[in-house]
Amino acid sequence: MRHGNKINNLGRKSAHRKAMLANMACSLIEHKRINTTLAKAKALKIFVEPLITKSKEDSTHNRRVVFSKLHNKYAITELFKEVSVKVADRPGGYTRIIKLGNRLGDNAEMALIELVDYNTTYSPKATKKKTTRRSRAKKAEDIKQESTTVTETTEE
């Protein structure tokens, strides 16, 4: 029975797992997207989303709480200055996991985890190129006039 065993241990002891997730979270904040295995991406999503929620309110207490998890002051500065501004109006769901297929060496499922507001191809706020509709087909008279002007210019 697995009562109360909700955490994915990822085959590591708790100290190793916490350090790995902290390093991955710092990389995600710094680079805005990282490639990893699907299991690690799902564990990272659970780890980093509450930290991003904390960063919405910039207070000394919240900075200390996030620092106790990440241990990287550069990542915390980036999180509280840039990332929190982009996600200020979002009520949750700050990350996106995209499955990439299997890794060649060991056939592990790979995934791309990224911050949602930093990818413009998936966001609905992306400005699309305005398409114009073509008008109806040209009439026979217009085509004759164009062909006569083309022949006149070639003869000269």
Side-chain angles (χ1 to χ4, degrees):
M1 285 184 270
R2 55 178 301 275
H3 297 302
N5 274 348
K6 290 185 179 181
I7 189 169
N8 187 354
N9 291 323
L10 301 172
R12 289 163 172 81
K13 302 281 186 190
S14 64
H16 186 186
R17 185 175 56 251
K18 287 176 187 174
M20 182 192 65
L21 289 174
N23 287 333
M24 289 174 65
C26 290
S27 296
L28 179 65
I29 291 166
E30 182 182 345
H31 300 292
K32 310 304 186 249
R33 68 178 61 175
I34 56 173
N35 287 331
T36 184
T37 62
L38 184 62
K40 287 180 188 175
K42 288 179 179 179
L44 179 61
K45 183 173 188 153
I46 293 168
F47 180 81
V48 80
E49 290 209 353
L51 301 180
I52 296 173
T53 302
K54 286 271 187 205
S55 75
K56 285 183 174 183
E57 183 185 342
D58 191 3
S59 65
T60 306
H61 175 68
N62 284 346
R63 281 182 178 264
R64 287 178 176 167
V65 168
V66 173
F67 185 77
S68 71
K69 301 284 187 191
L70 293 185
H71 307 295
N72 186 340
K73 62 182 177 182
Y74 301 111
I76 291 170
T77 303
E78 177 92 6
L79 178 65
F80 278 86
K81 293 252 190 261
E82 293 182 24
V83 177
S84 64
V85 172
K86 280 231 178 191
V87 299
D89 57 339
R90 183 177 289 275
Y94 311 111
T95 58
R96 175 186 297 124
I97 296 176
I98 302 169
K99 294 182 181 180
L100 297 177
N102 294 349
R103 188 162 50 196
L104 287 177
D106 59 354
N107 208 32
E109 286 184 292
M110 296 301 288
L112 172 82
I113 183 167
E114 63 183 4
L115 295 175
V116 172
D117 292 310
Y118 283 91
N119 190 344
T120 57
T121 56
Y122 287 114
S123 69
K125 296 177 185 176
T127 57
K128 293 186 177 180
K129 184 180 174 185
K130 192 172 184 180
T131 57
T132 57
R133 291 188 172 190
R134 293 182 175 218
S135 60
R136 57 195 165 118
K138 294 183 177 179
K139 295 183 180 176
E141 297 171 6
D142 295 337
I143 295 173
K144 287 180 186 176
Q145 288 177 353
E146 286 182 8
S147 63
T148 57
T149 57
V150 170
T151 54
E152 289 173 2
T153 56
T154 54
E155 290 174 1
E156 292 178 14

